[in-house]
Amino acid sequence: MALTLDRVTLDLRGRRVLTDASATFAAGRITVILGPNGAGKTSLLRAAAGLIAPSAGKITIAGHAIAAMRGDERARTIGYLPQSGDVAWNMPARDVVALGRLPHRTSAADDIAAVLAAMTATDTEQFADRRIGELSGGERARVLLARVLAGEPQWLLADEPLASLDPAHQLDLLDRLRGQATRGVGVVVVLHDLVQAARVAEEIVMLRDGRVFAAGSPAEVLTQKHLRDAFGVDILLFADGEGRMLPVPAGRTGSA
């Protein structure tokens, strides 16, 4: 099963943010979306989640147009984790996670089991009764991920989930996303950190100026030329202990 964008063009408030963007995301794999600020990463992710309608092109899951899905069906199929970690009400963490069950029409027992499973998967059971406003940034990020997982989606789309997290919590969250992919969930995540992208991605889609600039495996996309052309910086590539090439910015293109 694949989530596919076919020649998607998107206009927002009179400005074109995506042009003829095509990408295929595979179930059970982690795809990272990269690109400089303003490249269209968030817009592409929101379009893939069915939150904004493209001006042209189509978006399908297993060949079925997401535009034709009912809202509750789409919400059960696609879990979306936005950039903002805001929660409108200062509720206990357990109640925040339970909001992920709203698209479902199941028994109370099923809802409780799903919430417990999501909190276990994110290691958030120990502060289930603490209010969301009392949690650290890393704890809150895990609770919000648990809210998405409680909906038992087939696809998990996360926009900059590492923002404001320290390195330990970044690694922890990436491990949890990797665990979801291992279970068969299709994971699509927007990242800015090139090193973390190289570590976690199985596929990469790189955007520039609202277009897909490069797509493929990390080895195919994270080249010095692609990164220089997309980001305007010189890149050094270092091999890690697992044979992956990790890109580290060395300075702006043409700088001394």
Side-chain angles (χ1 to χ4, degrees):
M1 182 174 67
L3 170 56
T4 303
L5 286 77
D6 183 15
R7 298 176 64 86
V8 168
T9 293
L10 179 64
D11 297 306
L12 292 178
R13 294 180 292 278
R15 184 173 67 89
R16 180 145 297 179
V17 294
L18 291 175
T19 304
D20 273 346
S22 295
T24 298
F25 307 123
R29 294 178 69 80
I30 298 179
T31 302
V32 171
I33 300 174
L34 290 176
N37 291 339
K41 301 182 298 296
T42 293
S43 296
L44 186 146
L45 197 73
R46 294 186 68 219
L51 298 175
I52 47 179
S55 310
K58 60 182 180 179
I59 304 169
T60 59
I61 293 179
H64 301 288
I66 64 169
M69 290 175 142
R70 298 191 316 273
D72 58 345
E73 179 187 6
R74 189 169 59 241
R76 290 193 299 270
T77 304
I78 303 172
Y80 179 70
L81 187 62
Q83 286 186 31
S84 171
D86 296 336
V87 177
W89 299 282
N90 191 24
M91 300 184 293
R94 181 188 293 105
D95 294 342
V96 173
V97 176
L99 293 174
R101 298 299 298 170
L102 290 178
H104 294 265
R105 296 187 179 93
T106 57
S107 68
D110 287 341
D111 289 343
I112 291 170
V115 168
L116 178 59
M119 299 192 80
T120 299
T122 53
D123 193 25
T124 51
E125 318 99 289
Q126 68 270 30
F127 37 80
D129 295 319
R130 290 173 57 190
R131 294 190 176 274
I132 193 76
E134 301 171 1
L135 303 180
S136 70
E139 291 168 341
R140 186 164 56 249
R142 282 154 51 199
V143 168
L144 295 177
L145 176 59
R147 180 176 65 182
V148 174
L149 298 185
E152 301 174 310
Q154 298 170 22
W155 293 89
L156 198 168
L157 278 51
D159 191 4
E160 290 288 355
L162 306 187
S164 303
L165 297 184
D166 61 36
H169 285 113
Q170 289 183 5
L171 292 172
D172 177 74
L173 193 61
L174 290 176
D175 281 343
R176 296 181 193 283
L177 293 177
R178 191 180 289 111
Q180 290 303 303
T182 300
R183 294 179 53 248
V185 175
V187 177
V188 185
V189 55
V190 171
L191 294 179
H192 270 299
D193 189 314
L194 297 177
V195 172
Q196 298 291 31
R199 284 175 171 159
V200 75
E202 295 171 277
E203 302 287 337
I204 292 177
V205 173
M206 184 180 289
L207 301 180
R208 184 179 71 173
D209 299 326
R211 296 178 181 269
V212 175
F213 174 66
S217 69
E220 293 170 323
V221 176
L222 297 179
T223 66
Q224 289 178 319
K225 183 180 188 313
H226 282 158
L227 292 166
R228 185 186 303 117
D229 291 346
F231 292 93
V233 294
D234 290 316
I235 296 290
L236 299 177
L237 295 173
F238 296 93
D240 69 1
E242 299 181 21
R244 294 170 299 203
M245 299 304 294
L246 304 183
V248 178
R252 294 188 61 82
T253 301
S255 62

